Each structure stands twice: as C-alpha cells, then as structure tokens.
Amino acid sequence: MFKPAFAAVLVASCCSAAANTTEHTNLEHISIYANRTATPQQDVLASVTVLERDDIVARQANDLPALLAQLPGINLSRDGGRGQNSSVYIRGGNTGHTLVIIDGVRSGSATLGYKTLSMLPLELIERIEVVRGPRAAWYGADALSGVIAITTRKAQGTELNANVGSYGQLGADVSVSEQVGDLAVRATAGYSQADGFNVRKDLDPDRDGYDQRFAKLAADYQTSFGLLRAQFDINSGFYQFDTGWGTEDQADTLNRTYLLGWEHQLGQWQHQAQLSRILDDDTVYGPDSSSPFVTERDEFNYQTSTAITNNLNWLGGVNWYSESVGRSSVNYVEDSRINRALFTGLNFKQDNVQLDGSVRRDLTTQYAGNNTWQLAAGYWFTDAWQLRISRGAAFKAPTFNDLYYPGEGSSNPDLAPERTLSDEVAISYRAANGSVQLAWFENDVDNLIQLDANYMPQNIEQAKISGIELAIQADVAGIEQSFAYSWTDTENTLTGLRLARRPEHTINWRAGHSWNKFSAFVTADYQSNTYQGQYAVNEYLGGFTLWGIGTSYTVSSALTLRAKVDNLFDKNYYTNDRYTTAGTNFGLSVSYTPQ
C-alpha cells in the first residue's frame, strides 16, 4: 500500500525545492489547443499538461492509455492489456466526456461517441496536450471534462526504433523526412504485436493479443499565399478480447484519415482552414457471427485571429461536420447527423490581470441549437504566483448506440443531451527549478447517460463531480521529480452512489536522474479502492500501488538503448471487475538516428 507518510515527504521535498528561488522563467511548453492558438502554457487560464516527443519516449509507457494514466486528473480502467479496450476518465467524467483531437481533427467512432485509445500507437505520436476542464466553447460537443489533443509524428531526418517485451511484445517503426526547397515531405511506418495474456480467466482459456500496422505520409508546401498541408494516416490491426456476451471475441480494426490544410499570416490577421475525412471501421466477430461498425466523418474548420490592441486579442471561426453510420450489424433509425457551429472568443491581458471569454453556437440536425460558453480570469500576485478562476458550460448529444443499439429493449431513442456547468479555482507557483499547482473543480452534470439494470441507457437527472488536484514538478538535488495527487468525489444524486470506476484518491510520482550518458527513473502509481457499479459481480475493487523502474544509455549520438520494468513487485490488481491486468513485465527498446 502507498504510505501516506511517504507521500507527505515527497510533497514537502518538492515544495521546498520549488520555493528555493523566486526567479520566474517561462516554461518551454506551448499550449496550442486550450485557446485554439499557440499560447505559452503559463498564460493559459486552464489546467494543461504538455508532453513533447522526448517526454513521451523517456517515460517508456507500454501504450497511450498507460501514458495518460500517469498524468494529473486522469484515471484508467482496462479490460486487459495492450490492445484491449481501455476507458480514460478525466476529472471523474465519462469516457465520452473527453474529446480526442488528432492533428486538429475531431476523432472517434460516431456509434461509440468517443475515440478508443488502446490501438492508437505511441510510435505515431509527436506531441500530447491534455486540457482538464470543459472546452466545449471552443470545440463543441464531447469536450465536457477535457480535451486530449494529439499531434502525429513530424520526424526530422531519419529515425529507426525497435522494441521487445513481455507477453510476446515486439515492434519496429521508421520515420523519414526530406526538405526540397519549399516542399517538406515526412513519412512514418511501423508494426507492433503481442501474444498477450488471458484477460478473463472465468471465460475462454486463451491468450488475448493484438497485431497492428500503421503509416503516415505528409507534405507541407510553403507558398506566397500561405502554408499548404496534405496528410494521409492509416492504422489497421487485429485484437482479441474476452466477453460474457455471445461468442464474438476478436475484432479487425481500420482507421483512415485524409487531411488538407492551409495557414496564412496576412498583416495582423492569421488564417487557418482544414478539411478532413475519417473512416472508423471496427468489425467484431466470432465462430458464428460478425458485427461490423463502420462510421465516417467529414469536417471543415476555419478560424481567424488578430490583435485588436496591444492588450486585446480576438479569435473566431466556423466548424461543420457530418457523421454517418456506413455499415452496422443493426439498422439504426437515424444513421447520420450534421453539426454546424460558430465560435468566437476574446483574450485581454494587462499588467497583472488576464481575462478570457469564449462562446459557441452549435446547430445539430437531431438536437437543434446548443449554446456553450467559457469565462476565465487570472491575477498575478508576483511574477511567480498566479490565481485563476473559470466557469464553463458544455453539452454532449447521445450517441447512435445510446439511441438505437442494439434495438428495442436495450436502446433509448428518447434520451436528452448531457449538459454540464463547471467551475475551477486554482493557484500556481512557478520558479526556475519547478512549479506547483493546486486546483479545485466542481462539475454539475444534468441528464448524465448511464446504463440501468437492464443495460438500457437512461438519463440521470443530475450527477455531481468535485475534486482537488495537486501537481508538482521540481528538481531536488539533481533529481527531477513530478508528483500528482487527485481527490475526486462523484455522486449520482438520484441514488446517492458514486459513479462507477472513479477512484477517490490517485497518486502518481516519478523521479529521474542523469549521469553523462546514463539515466534512470522510478515511478509509483497509487489508486484507492474503486466502486464498480451496483450491478457488478464485485461491487468494489481494492486499491493498489504499482512500482516501476527504467533506464536508458546513450551509446553514441546516433544510438540509444532503453529498458524498463512495470509492476515491479508483481501486484495482482484490477481496474475493471474480473478483468486481469499484467503482472511484472519488462521492455527493451533501441533508437537509431543516422547522422
């Protein structure tokens, strides 16, 4: 068990180190998605975490869900190991309350209503930005609890990577780029697989593994009338799983994205436009049947921004997308919808005061008009200390599955959209060698969609989510440390019960040190006991602490070796009722960048 005294020592040492200096230096990270424009992270009036490619590689996470679970305000529920379904919860919201944006494109299945992250390869990711708190005033439906914005690989030169690990894990990828005058071309391709392990010992006595192939081809062309971009991504694979429903226990998956973009700076005005098309194909099958779920989304975005005065900036734009069910195992009563939106916002900053405001109007073919808004204010007491407050409204329309799948008796076409009103108050301190942020948040959810005893979606009149986040980064005697603690209190106000799979307490700690060509790190991740729902076989799952270690060695400027061990003490734990998780497991990887 994670000792509270140990946690207190970590917090005290980190705070002490962060307070050793009052010199304020700008953090290197830039937020791109919190305000839809590039902004220094310390000037964003929201809780934001940014991971660049070097950060992602250094953490040596098994997959994207495991990486996200190390960040403040996020917890994870897994149906097994790599490749199996994983649910990511930001600040206690449903999985579908987090909008996933990939290269500026709204992503995810139109039938599920969210993006499944278990088969999105880390090898294809250049940058991750997580915004905690509602952002519907900028992005519309789904951004109730937060936004996960992913930028895919933008290789410079040539890079080769390979990895092996426990449960038959192996993979390799290559990235190349070439600059010819004003034309830049980049490509990434890779392969990954694992034999896996049996994720439900009470069901099929088989291993549940996966197999995956992915590629990206992109080109940028600089012209006198702006930067033109074109991109094509494909991610296909196969994964196995265990379920108590029917005999379908494996799936083929395919995701394709086509993107055309334009950016131009004309005087004080900055223009951006993007047209995209996404195909999401997940066909589940077994020895007796198959169930295809194929959805498509076409989207157009345009935005423009300018500085009205030295202290006041304006941004506005339009967003249009059409999503449809191309093929499915059932006939949906409605299988397409169109959303049209206008959005605008202002940012004011003078002396020690900063104000943000944004508003959006969405017109959806099924649910008419929906207004969302966000207001935020920040005040700097000194160059290091800042207080900020914010309030925002958001909404999410029911998914096609909520409304119509699998049919009468298990679907609910009368569902109303979910709506939230969220507040946040935070105080932060930034110094040359670290930062501290303490945030309180509260989220009132009207018409929260949950399954009843018959597994039919129903609107809960109201749910309440509140909590506290403490995030610390500090260099303590040459040891770089990050510490995050989250307390999350959730309640279904109709029943008085907690919302399922949201632990009340989580702690994530990481410490690392470098010696010349050698570096090493240790991690500890704690989660308190978790309510699984009143219809689960095991209503509560026990808490646990997982330890991990890792190291890297720079053989030369071109070659780096890495090794890590997760679940170091072979903890037997669960995050989803009866679904087995990985025991002690190791990974080895090598990166080669020809000079």
Side-chain angles (χ1 to χ4, degrees), residues 344 476 521:
T344 187
V476 182
F521 66 84

Side-chain angles (χ1 to χ4, degrees), residues 51-110:
L51 297 179
E52 305 291 352
R53 180 64 186 172
D54 288 345
D55 303 319
I56 296 170
V57 172
R59 287 176 177 265
Q60 298 191 55
N62 276 335
D63 59 6
L64 178 57
L67 176 65
L68 293 171
Q70 300 174 11
L71 305 182
I74 299 178
N75 69 280
L76 176 66
S77 173
R78 306 201 72 139
D79 294 354
R82 182 168 176 174
Q84 278 75 50
N85 181 57
S86 299
S87 299
V88 174
Y89 305 95
I90 295 183
R91 287 188 169 177
N94 285 349
T95 298
H97 292 175
T98 297
L99 175 63
V100 177
I101 299 171
I102 302 178
D103 292 327
V105 178
R106 174 183 294 268
S107 299
S109 164

Side-chain angles (χ1 to χ4, degrees), residues 105-106 108 110 256-259 274-280 295-301 319-324 336-340:
V105 178
R106 174 183 294 268
R256 287 199 302 257
T257 302
Y258 307 87
L259 184 153
Q274 185 165 278
L275 180 65
S276 62
R277 181 175 179 81
I278 290 181
L279 169 73
D280 189 290
T295 64
E296 297 172 314
R297 181 182 293 110
D298 297 313
E299 183 174 13
F300 174 75
N301 274 293
N319 172 238
W320 174 94
Y321 62 87
S322 170
E323 51 189 14
S324 61
S336 65
R337 62 172 62 141
I338 294 175
N339 192 88
R340 294 157 291 173

Side-chain angles (χ1 to χ4, degrees), residues 107-125:
S107 299
S109 164
T111 49
L112 281 177
Y114 58 87
K115 175 69 175 179
T116 55
L117 301 176
S118 55
M119 289 288 280
L120 184 58
L122 275 177
E123 296 84 356
L124 199 58
I125 296 177

